[in-house]
Short mmCIF file of all heavy atoms in Angstrom, two decimals:
data_model
loop_
_atom_site.label_atom_id
_atom_site.label_comp_id
_atom_site.label_asym_id
_atom_site.label_seq_id
_atom_site.Cartn_x
_atom_site.Cartn_y
_atom_site.Cartn_z
N ASP A 1 -25.62 -87.64 -35.92
CA ASP A 1 -27.08 -87.63 -35.77
C ASP A 1 -27.69 -88.38 -36.95
O ASP A 1 -27.86 -87.83 -38.03
CB ASP A 1 -27.57 -86.18 -35.72
CG ASP A 1 -29.06 -86.08 -35.49
OD1 ASP A 1 -29.75 -87.11 -35.46
OD2 ASP A 1 -29.54 -84.93 -35.34
N SER A 2 -28.02 -89.65 -36.73
CA SER A 2 -28.54 -90.48 -37.83
C SER A 2 -29.98 -90.12 -38.18
O SER A 2 -30.50 -90.57 -39.19
CB SER A 2 -28.44 -91.97 -37.47
OG SER A 2 -29.20 -92.23 -36.32
N GLY A 3 -30.64 -89.31 -37.37
CA GLY A 3 -32.02 -88.91 -37.66
C GLY A 3 -32.13 -87.58 -38.38
O GLY A 3 -33.23 -87.13 -38.68
N LEU A 4 -31.00 -86.95 -38.70
CA LEU A 4 -31.02 -85.66 -39.39
C LEU A 4 -31.15 -85.90 -40.89
O LEU A 4 -30.27 -86.49 -41.52
CB LEU A 4 -29.77 -84.85 -39.09
CG LEU A 4 -29.65 -83.50 -39.80
CD1 LEU A 4 -30.74 -82.55 -39.32
CD2 LEU A 4 -28.29 -82.89 -39.58
N PHE A 5 -32.25 -85.46 -41.46
CA PHE A 5 -32.50 -85.55 -42.89
C PHE A 5 -32.71 -84.13 -43.42
O PHE A 5 -33.10 -83.23 -42.69
CB PHE A 5 -33.76 -86.37 -43.18
CG PHE A 5 -33.59 -87.84 -43.01
CD1 PHE A 5 -33.54 -88.43 -41.75
CD2 PHE A 5 -33.48 -88.66 -44.11
CE1 PHE A 5 -33.39 -89.79 -41.60
CE2 PHE A 5 -33.33 -90.02 -43.98
CZ PHE A 5 -33.28 -90.59 -42.72
N ILE A 6 -32.48 -83.96 -44.72
CA ILE A 6 -32.76 -82.70 -45.38
C ILE A 6 -33.48 -83.01 -46.69
O ILE A 6 -33.17 -84.02 -47.35
CB ILE A 6 -31.49 -81.85 -45.59
CG1 ILE A 6 -31.86 -80.46 -46.05
CG2 ILE A 6 -30.51 -82.55 -46.53
CD1 ILE A 6 -30.77 -79.43 -45.85
N GLN A 7 -34.45 -82.17 -47.04
CA GLN A 7 -35.25 -82.42 -48.23
C GLN A 7 -34.88 -81.47 -49.35
O GLN A 7 -34.70 -80.26 -49.13
CB GLN A 7 -36.74 -82.25 -47.90
CG GLN A 7 -37.65 -82.67 -49.02
CD GLN A 7 -39.11 -82.58 -48.62
OE1 GLN A 7 -39.51 -81.71 -47.86
NE2 GLN A 7 -39.91 -83.51 -49.15
N CYS A 8 -34.77 -82.02 -50.54
CA CYS A 8 -34.49 -81.22 -51.73
C CYS A 8 -35.73 -80.37 -52.04
O CYS A 8 -36.85 -80.89 -52.12
CB CYS A 8 -34.16 -82.12 -52.92
SG CYS A 8 -33.90 -81.23 -54.47
N ASP A 9 -35.53 -79.06 -52.20
CA ASP A 9 -36.65 -78.16 -52.49
C ASP A 9 -37.23 -78.37 -53.88
O ASP A 9 -38.36 -77.99 -54.14
CB ASP A 9 -36.20 -76.70 -52.34
CG ASP A 9 -35.85 -76.36 -50.91
OD1 ASP A 9 -36.45 -76.93 -49.98
OD2 ASP A 9 -34.96 -75.51 -50.70
N LYS A 10 -36.47 -78.98 -54.77
CA LYS A 10 -36.92 -79.14 -56.15
C LYS A 10 -37.66 -80.47 -56.36
O LYS A 10 -38.78 -80.49 -56.82
CB LYS A 10 -35.73 -79.01 -57.10
CG LYS A 10 -36.11 -78.94 -58.55
CD LYS A 10 -34.96 -78.54 -59.41
CE LYS A 10 -35.42 -78.43 -60.85
NZ LYS A 10 -34.34 -78.02 -61.73
N CYS A 11 -37.00 -81.60 -56.01
CA CYS A 11 -37.61 -82.91 -56.29
C CYS A 11 -38.21 -83.57 -55.05
O CYS A 11 -38.79 -84.65 -55.16
CB CYS A 11 -36.60 -83.84 -56.96
SG CYS A 11 -35.27 -84.39 -55.88
N GLN A 12 -38.05 -82.96 -53.89
CA GLN A 12 -38.67 -83.40 -52.64
C GLN A 12 -38.12 -84.69 -52.04
O GLN A 12 -38.72 -85.25 -51.13
CB GLN A 12 -40.20 -83.53 -52.81
CG GLN A 12 -40.88 -82.29 -53.35
CD GLN A 12 -40.65 -81.06 -52.49
OE1 GLN A 12 -40.88 -81.09 -51.30
NE2 GLN A 12 -40.16 -80.01 -53.09
N VAL A 13 -36.98 -85.20 -52.51
CA VAL A 13 -36.40 -86.40 -51.90
C VAL A 13 -35.71 -86.00 -50.60
O VAL A 13 -35.29 -84.86 -50.41
CB VAL A 13 -35.39 -87.14 -52.82
CG1 VAL A 13 -36.07 -87.61 -54.10
CG2 VAL A 13 -34.17 -86.31 -53.10
N TRP A 14 -35.61 -86.97 -49.69
CA TRP A 14 -34.93 -86.77 -48.42
C TRP A 14 -33.56 -87.40 -48.47
O TRP A 14 -33.39 -88.47 -49.06
CB TRP A 14 -35.75 -87.39 -47.28
CG TRP A 14 -37.00 -86.63 -46.98
CD1 TRP A 14 -38.23 -86.84 -47.53
CD2 TRP A 14 -37.12 -85.53 -46.09
NE1 TRP A 14 -39.12 -85.94 -47.02
CE2 TRP A 14 -38.47 -85.12 -46.13
CE3 TRP A 14 -36.23 -84.85 -45.25
CZ2 TRP A 14 -38.95 -84.06 -45.36
CZ3 TRP A 14 -36.72 -83.81 -44.50
CH2 TRP A 14 -38.06 -83.42 -44.56
N GLN A 15 -32.59 -86.74 -47.86
CA GLN A 15 -31.23 -87.26 -47.79
C GLN A 15 -30.72 -87.14 -46.36
O GLN A 15 -31.15 -86.26 -45.62
CB GLN A 15 -30.30 -86.48 -48.75
CG GLN A 15 -30.71 -86.66 -50.21
CD GLN A 15 -29.74 -86.01 -51.17
OE1 GLN A 15 -29.31 -84.89 -50.97
NE2 GLN A 15 -29.40 -86.74 -52.22
N HIS A 16 -29.81 -88.04 -46.01
CA HIS A 16 -29.20 -87.97 -44.68
C HIS A 16 -28.33 -86.72 -44.61
O HIS A 16 -27.52 -86.48 -45.52
CB HIS A 16 -28.31 -89.19 -44.41
CG HIS A 16 -29.00 -90.49 -44.64
ND1 HIS A 16 -28.56 -91.39 -45.58
CD2 HIS A 16 -30.10 -91.03 -44.06
CE1 HIS A 16 -29.35 -92.45 -45.57
NE2 HIS A 16 -30.30 -92.26 -44.66
N GLY A 17 -28.48 -85.95 -43.56
CA GLY A 17 -27.67 -84.75 -43.39
C GLY A 17 -26.19 -85.07 -43.44
O GLY A 17 -25.40 -84.39 -44.11
N TYR A 18 -25.79 -86.13 -42.75
CA TYR A 18 -24.37 -86.52 -42.71
C TYR A 18 -23.82 -86.78 -44.11
O TYR A 18 -22.72 -86.36 -44.43
CB TYR A 18 -24.20 -87.75 -41.84
CG TYR A 18 -22.80 -88.33 -41.91
CD1 TYR A 18 -21.75 -87.74 -41.21
CD2 TYR A 18 -22.53 -89.45 -42.69
CE1 TYR A 18 -20.47 -88.25 -41.28
CE2 TYR A 18 -21.25 -89.97 -42.77
CZ TYR A 18 -20.23 -89.37 -42.06
OH TYR A 18 -18.96 -89.87 -42.14
N CYS A 19 -24.60 -87.43 -44.94
CA CYS A 19 -24.12 -87.83 -46.27
C CYS A 19 -23.93 -86.66 -47.22
O CYS A 19 -23.22 -86.78 -48.21
CB CYS A 19 -25.06 -88.86 -46.88
SG CYS A 19 -25.10 -90.41 -45.97
N VAL A 20 -24.57 -85.53 -46.92
CA VAL A 20 -24.39 -84.34 -47.76
C VAL A 20 -23.62 -83.25 -47.03
O VAL A 20 -23.63 -82.09 -47.43
CB VAL A 20 -25.74 -83.82 -48.31
CG1 VAL A 20 -26.34 -84.82 -49.28
CG2 VAL A 20 -26.70 -83.47 -47.20
N GLY A 21 -22.93 -83.63 -45.97
CA GLY A 21 -22.04 -82.70 -45.28
C GLY A 21 -22.73 -81.72 -44.36
O GLY A 21 -22.19 -80.66 -44.07
N ILE A 22 -23.93 -82.05 -43.91
CA ILE A 22 -24.65 -81.16 -43.00
C ILE A 22 -24.79 -81.87 -41.66
O ILE A 22 -25.40 -82.95 -41.58
CB ILE A 22 -26.03 -80.80 -43.57
CG1 ILE A 22 -25.85 -80.07 -44.90
CG2 ILE A 22 -26.81 -79.95 -42.58
CD1 ILE A 22 -27.14 -79.81 -45.65
N GLY A 23 -24.22 -81.29 -40.64
CA GLY A 23 -24.30 -81.86 -39.31
C GLY A 23 -25.33 -81.15 -38.45
O GLY A 23 -25.83 -80.09 -38.81
N SER A 24 -25.62 -81.72 -37.30
CA SER A 24 -26.63 -81.12 -36.43
C SER A 24 -26.19 -79.77 -35.87
O SER A 24 -27.01 -78.95 -35.49
CB SER A 24 -26.99 -82.08 -35.30
OG SER A 24 -25.82 -82.42 -34.57
N ASP A 25 -24.87 -79.52 -35.83
CA ASP A 25 -24.37 -78.24 -35.33
C ASP A 25 -24.36 -77.16 -36.40
O ASP A 25 -24.21 -75.98 -36.08
CB ASP A 25 -22.93 -78.40 -34.80
CG ASP A 25 -22.88 -79.29 -33.57
OD1 ASP A 25 -23.92 -79.46 -32.91
OD2 ASP A 25 -21.80 -79.83 -33.29
N ASP A 26 -24.51 -77.53 -37.66
CA ASP A 26 -24.50 -76.57 -38.75
C ASP A 26 -25.86 -75.88 -38.84
O ASP A 26 -26.89 -76.45 -38.48
CB ASP A 26 -24.23 -77.25 -40.10
CG ASP A 26 -22.86 -77.87 -40.15
OD1 ASP A 26 -21.92 -77.29 -39.59
OD2 ASP A 26 -22.72 -78.95 -40.77
N SER A 27 -25.85 -74.65 -39.32
CA SER A 27 -27.13 -74.00 -39.58
C SER A 27 -27.64 -74.57 -40.90
O SER A 27 -26.92 -74.59 -41.90
CB SER A 27 -26.98 -72.49 -39.64
OG SER A 27 -26.05 -72.13 -40.63
N LEU A 28 -28.88 -75.04 -40.90
CA LEU A 28 -29.43 -75.64 -42.11
C LEU A 28 -29.67 -74.56 -43.16
O LEU A 28 -30.12 -73.46 -42.84
CB LEU A 28 -30.75 -76.35 -41.79
CG LEU A 28 -30.61 -77.53 -40.83
CD1 LEU A 28 -31.99 -78.10 -40.50
CD2 LEU A 28 -29.73 -78.62 -41.42
N PRO A 29 -29.35 -74.87 -44.40
CA PRO A 29 -29.55 -73.86 -45.45
C PRO A 29 -31.04 -73.59 -45.68
O PRO A 29 -31.88 -74.48 -45.50
CB PRO A 29 -28.91 -74.51 -46.68
CG PRO A 29 -28.88 -75.97 -46.40
CD PRO A 29 -28.80 -76.12 -44.91
N ASP A 30 -31.36 -72.36 -46.05
CA ASP A 30 -32.76 -72.02 -46.34
C ASP A 30 -33.25 -72.74 -47.58
O ASP A 30 -34.40 -73.16 -47.65
CB ASP A 30 -32.90 -70.51 -46.54
CG ASP A 30 -32.66 -69.73 -45.26
OD1 ASP A 30 -32.90 -70.28 -44.17
OD2 ASP A 30 -32.22 -68.57 -45.36
N ASP A 31 -32.36 -72.86 -48.56
CA ASP A 31 -32.68 -73.57 -49.80
C ASP A 31 -31.71 -74.72 -49.94
O ASP A 31 -30.50 -74.54 -49.75
CB ASP A 31 -32.54 -72.63 -51.01
CG ASP A 31 -33.49 -71.46 -50.93
OD1 ASP A 31 -34.70 -71.68 -50.70
OD2 ASP A 31 -33.02 -70.31 -51.10
N TYR A 32 -32.22 -75.89 -50.29
CA TYR A 32 -31.35 -77.04 -50.48
C TYR A 32 -31.76 -77.75 -51.76
O TYR A 32 -32.94 -77.96 -52.04
CB TYR A 32 -31.44 -78.02 -49.30
CG TYR A 32 -30.65 -79.28 -49.55
CD1 TYR A 32 -29.26 -79.28 -49.46
CD2 TYR A 32 -31.27 -80.46 -49.94
CE1 TYR A 32 -28.52 -80.41 -49.73
CE2 TYR A 32 -30.53 -81.60 -50.21
CZ TYR A 32 -29.16 -81.57 -50.10
OH TYR A 32 -28.42 -82.69 -50.38
N ALA A 33 -30.77 -78.13 -52.54
CA ALA A 33 -31.00 -78.90 -53.76
C ALA A 33 -30.08 -80.12 -53.72
O ALA A 33 -28.90 -80.01 -53.39
CB ALA A 33 -30.71 -78.06 -54.99
#
């Protein structure tokens, strides 16, 4: 899923879910850094 992004709760940058080991089938963490 190339459109899956996750945002850092501290610095607010966006990262590709795939690049940080988070896939669309995974439950997204409540807190992400």
Side-chain angles (χ1 to χ4, degrees):
D1 183 355
S2 61
L4 178 65
F5 285 76
I6 190 161
Q7 188 176 34
C8 176
D9 294 329
K10 189 168 182 179
C11 69
Q12 307 302 307
V13 299
W14 288 91
Q15 296 185 315
H16 308 119
Y18 171 78
C19 295
V20 293
I22 299 172
S24 57
D25 294 339
D26 296 324
S27 58
L28 296 176
D30 292 332
D31 298 310
Y32 174 75

